[in-house]
């Protein structure tokens, strides 16, 4: 799971750039689209690394670049054919940012002439396959649909036109060999034994689709400075069923100083779980005591996590069995967060938050909210208490949005509790709430097509309905009502955990029908952000390819 923080589905960005040559309307529209992103170079202090670690970085980047190629195939298909058809340099750049001809911040609207809507199943399934056809093939399959539904298979038509599942390691074998070889070369240079073992096991995993041993090794690894998250990981790109994992990679450098500050919160997980505001039946699982929380600087993003909006925090692994055995690792990507806070959140707050509450919008609160969002993914229920299997299985395509809302709201619940218990010295609850409220505006700009966008709409509407904030009709400024927000956080936490525990697919649908839609007032406030030319997200200047 991960957190992204971009913004909006507003198409009316009226920007001043590109006027000199009076470009044709279409070209100028492309410039407006590009202006939703502000370019950032991610940096870290490489002098803290050893000589060998510095030598490993190009190898890790090379493996990551392969994930980029693979994600292109999964999201769209043949990248080169598409790029060959696009002459305008702005359009080409925008295609590359989106990994295809659909605008990820505009609900996947096509932005290249002649391109139709994006297939919900991306390129994981045949474009002409229906849900019913898939379900029928699952019902007829000998393994109960295991292969068809696997995270790590692509569904294709065989010579007779029937649906068939092909494992990733076969479908993408050539490219995966390149990535695995780069990881093994990096492993040879690794001075940290845990990292060396992980890199070798991850290379094996890429070639077999058996990720569990490397996930376990990754959780066992504690003393490394360099890290790489790599492989088919999240399922957001499969909007048809949410079954298929998309390739991505992050190359990371641990920030040991900040990590020490975070260490103590991991130890509080079991107590936080016991304190959840739900009946006992919904909090019986124990989150892994071995979980950890670290801050990193990201130095390279590739594939899924680099498409459109950029991730700033990750909670992995997703494998529920590994989670129950080892807990999860939460990675806070500090340099990316700082860039988004400075370039997006502060300007957003300047438009939508009441003037006297704006000083409460702070980086430390932003960092804490994001951190506890990730912690909260590890809490609650993983398996339904109603005998419907895992929550993910029971809630299918509705799982991701609800899970993101859970993490946001339970994260806020935990911040509230810890401040009350005096565990966050110096923290001021109003900072966290005001920063969160400003953050909702930013996150809704992700577009309603994303899990985070839907989650934020739910939170916004629930808060509004419960008086957690008020809006000044004259200035359009929003003001946190502290006590009512506290109560709303409790109520929504309980509601979400119970829906998850019950595996109540229909109930989740009703909740989002009720409270997951964009109101006219909110839309007009988002339009104000667009008119103020506040970028939606960052795009990364990552330098030249390694080869
Ligand atoms: Zn999340």
């Amino acid at each position: 799971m991960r957190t992204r923080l971009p913004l909006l589905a507003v198409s009316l960005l009226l920007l001043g750039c590109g006027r000199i040559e009076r470009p044709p309307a279409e070209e100028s529209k492309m410039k407006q689209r590009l202006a939703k992103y502000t370019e950032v170079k991610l940096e870290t202090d490489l002098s803290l690394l050893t000589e060998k670690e510095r030598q490993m970085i190009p190898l890790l980047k090379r493996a990551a670049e392969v994930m980029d190629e693979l994600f292109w195939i999964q999201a769209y298909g043949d990248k080169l054919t598409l790029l060959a058809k696009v002459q305008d340099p702005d359009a080409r750049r925008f295609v590359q940012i989106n990994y295809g001809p659909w605008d990820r911040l505009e609900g996947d609207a096509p932005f290249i002439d002649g391109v139709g809507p994006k297939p919900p199943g991306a390129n994981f399934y045949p474009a002409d396959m229906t849900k019913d056809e898939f379900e029928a093939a699952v019902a007829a399959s000998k393994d109960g649909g295991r292969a068809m539904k696997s995270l790590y298979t692509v569904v294709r038509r065989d010579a007779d036109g029937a649906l068939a599942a092909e494992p990733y390691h076969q479908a993408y074998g050539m490219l995966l060999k390149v990535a695995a070889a780069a990881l093994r070369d990096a492993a040879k240079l690794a001075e940290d034994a845990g990292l060396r073992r992980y890199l070798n096991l991850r290379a094996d995993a890429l070639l077999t689709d058996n990720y569990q041993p490397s996930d376990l090794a990754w959780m066992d690894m504690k003393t490394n400075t360099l890290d790489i998250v790599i492989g088919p990981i999240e399922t957001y790109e499969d909007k048809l069923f949410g079954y298929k994992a998309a390739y991505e990679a992050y190359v990371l450098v641990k920030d040991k100083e900040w990590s020490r500050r975070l260490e103590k919160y991991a130890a509080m997980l079991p107590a936080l779980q016991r304190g959840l505001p739900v009946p006992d039946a919904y909090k019986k699982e124990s989150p892994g005591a071995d979980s950890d929380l670290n801050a990193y600087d990201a130095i390279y993003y590739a594939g899924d996590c680099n498409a459109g909006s950029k991730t700033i925090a990750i909670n992995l692994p997703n494998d529920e069995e590994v989670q129950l055995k080892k807990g999860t690792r939460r990675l806070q990507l500090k340099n990316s967060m700082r860039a988004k806070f400075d370039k997006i959140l502060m300007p957003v707050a300047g438009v939508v938050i009441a003037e006297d509450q704006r000083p409460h919008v702070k980086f430390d609160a932003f960092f804490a909210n994001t951190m506890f969002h990730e912690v909260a993914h590890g809490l609650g229920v993983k398996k339904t208490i109603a005998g419907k299997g895992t929550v993910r299985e029971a809630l299918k395509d509705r799982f991701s949005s609800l899970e993101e809302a859970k993490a946001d709201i339970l994260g806020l619940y935990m911040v509230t509790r810890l401040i009350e218990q005096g565990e966050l010295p110096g923290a001021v609850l109003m900072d966290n709430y005001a920063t969160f409220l400003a953050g909702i505006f930013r996150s809704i700009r992700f577009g309603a097509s994303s899990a985070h966008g839907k989650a934020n709409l739910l939170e916004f509407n629930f808060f509004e309905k419960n008086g957690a904030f008020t809006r000044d009709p004259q200035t359009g400024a929003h003001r946190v009502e502290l006590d009512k927000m506290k109560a709303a956080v409790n109520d929504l936490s309980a509601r979400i955990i119970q829906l998850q525990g019950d595996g109540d697919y229909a109930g989740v649908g009703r909740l989002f029908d009720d409270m997951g839609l964009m109101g006219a007032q909110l839309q007009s406030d988002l339009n104000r952000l667009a008119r103020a030319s506040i970028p939606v997200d960052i795009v990364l200047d990552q330098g030249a390819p390694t080869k």
Side-chain angles (χ1 to χ4, degrees), residues 27 92 100 106 118 124 187 228 234 272 280 288 318 336 363 405 421 423 439 445 452 461 484 500 504 506-507 514:
E27 192 184 326
R92 286 175 71 87
E106 290 278 1
K118 182 172 183 178
F124 296 113
I228 183 170
E234 304 289 358
L272 288 165
D280 286 346
N318 287 334
S336 315
F363 180 70
Q421 291 166 10
E423 295 283 4
R445 297 175 85 192
H452 291 91
N461 291 326
K484 287 187 176 167
Q500 291 194 327
D504 186 355
D514 261 11

Side-chain angles (χ1 to χ4, degrees), residues 479-496:
R479 169 182 302 281
V480 170
E481 301 296 334
L482 202 67
D483 289 336
K484 287 187 176 167
M485 190 175 279
K486 230 191 255 186
V489 164
N490 265 354
D491 292 350
L492 189 52
S493 296
R495 193 140 162 204
I496 292 174

Side-chain angles (χ1 to χ4, degrees), residues 1-3 373-374 377 404 407 452:
M1 286 294 152
R2 65 185 175 201
T3 306
H373 170 109
E374 296 307 322
H377 274 305
E404 291 312 319
H452 291 91

Side-chain angles (χ1 to χ4, degrees), residues 46-201:
L46 292 175
S47 72
L48 298 174
L49 300 183
T50 66
E51 181 56 36
K52 288 249 166 71
E53 285 168 339
R54 280 194 288 272
Q55 289 169 20
M56 289 170 72
I57 288 177
L59 295 166
L60 298 178
K61 280 189 183 172
R62 187 174 306 154
E65 283 164 2
V66 174
M67 300 302 113
D68 220 56
E69 295 303 314
L70 290 168
F71 181 68
W72 253 107
I73 296 168
Q74 294 183 312
Y76 174 76
D78 187 354
K79 165 184 162 182
L80 296 178
T81 310
L82 174 63
L83 284 174
K85 282 190 280 194
V86 182
Q87 301 306 321
D88 170 38
D90 289 337
R92 286 175 71 87
R93 177 85 175 121
F94 205 58
V95 163
Q96 280 167 325
I97 289 172
N98 285 284
Y99 290 73
W102 301 286
D103 186 344
R104 290 174 181 269
L105 299 177
E106 290 278 1
D108 285 330
F111 58 86
I112 297 290
D113 282 345
V115 170
K118 182 172 183 178
N123 194 28
F124 296 113
Y125 309 89
D128 62 352
M129 185 197 81
T130 62
K131 272 192 163 186
D132 287 346
E133 186 187 8
F134 182 84
E135 301 290 7
V138 164
S141 65
K142 291 192 190 87
D143 65 353
R146 260 192 78 150
M148 296 283 283
K149 290 183 178 177
S150 165
L151 283 164
Y152 310 125
T153 61
V154 60
V155 175
R156 291 287 171 249
R157 292 195 184 280
D158 64 18
D160 304 324
L163 298 177
E166 185 182 16
Y168 284 177
H169 70 272
Q170 287 171 14
Y172 312 126
M174 296 265 280
L175 282 166
L176 289 169
K177 278 182 191 146
V178 176
L183 290 183
R184 290 208 170 97
D185 287 345
K188 286 179 200 141
L189 292 165
E191 294 150 308
D192 184 272
L195 177 60
R196 186 162 59 239
R197 183 162 167 268
Y198 163 66
L199 290 173
N200 282 318
L201 286 171

Side-chain angles (χ1 to χ4, degrees), residues 322-394:
V322 179
Q323 289 184 4
L324 286 172
K325 240 185 245 172
K326 301 268 182 187
T328 57
R329 169 165 292 146
R330 286 167 290 281
L331 304 90
Q332 304 282 106
L333 310 185
K334 203 165 131 277
N335 56 351
S336 315
M337 284 174 57
R338 184 93 228 185
K340 292 209 191 196
F341 181 82
D342 291 342
K343 299 214 173 208
I344 303 169
L345 188 56
M346 284 302 283
V348 164
V351 174
V352 298
I353 299 297
E355 203 173 343
D356 62 303
Q357 288 191 349
R358 273 177 221 159
H360 288 287
V361 179
K362 290 182 180 157
F363 180 70
D364 282 359
F366 181 54
F367 188 81
N369 289 350
T370 314
M371 173 176 77
F372 285 109
H373 170 109
E374 296 307 322
V375 175
H377 274 305
L379 291 175
V381 278
K382 305 277 172 229
K383 277 207 171 94
T384 59
I385 63 168
K388 295 183 187 167
T390 65
V391 175
R392 184 188 288 274
E393 283 161 359

Side-chain angles (χ1 to χ4, degrees), residues 373-450:
H373 170 109
E374 296 307 322
V375 175
H377 274 305
L379 291 175
V381 278
K382 305 277 172 229
K383 277 207 171 94
T384 59
I385 63 168
K388 295 183 187 167
T390 65
V391 175
R392 184 188 288 274
E393 283 161 359
L395 299 185
K396 294 183 270 193
D397 55 308
R398 293 173 185 163
F399 171 78
S400 290
S401 304
L402 191 70
E403 176 64 20
E404 291 312 319
K406 177 198 95 175
D408 275 346
I409 293 299
L410 272 187
L412 218 43
Y413 164 79
M414 290 191 283
V415 171
T416 310
R417 290 294 299 269
L418 290 174
I419 289 178
E420 284 170 357
Q421 291 166 10
E423 295 283 4
L424 295 176
V428 174
L429 191 57
M430 182 56 95
D431 291 355
N432 295 85
Y433 282 12
T435 305
F436 188 87
L437 184 58
I440 288 183
F441 284 91
R442 190 199 46 224
S443 296
I444 287 177
R445 297 175 85 192
F446 275 112
S449 69
S450 83

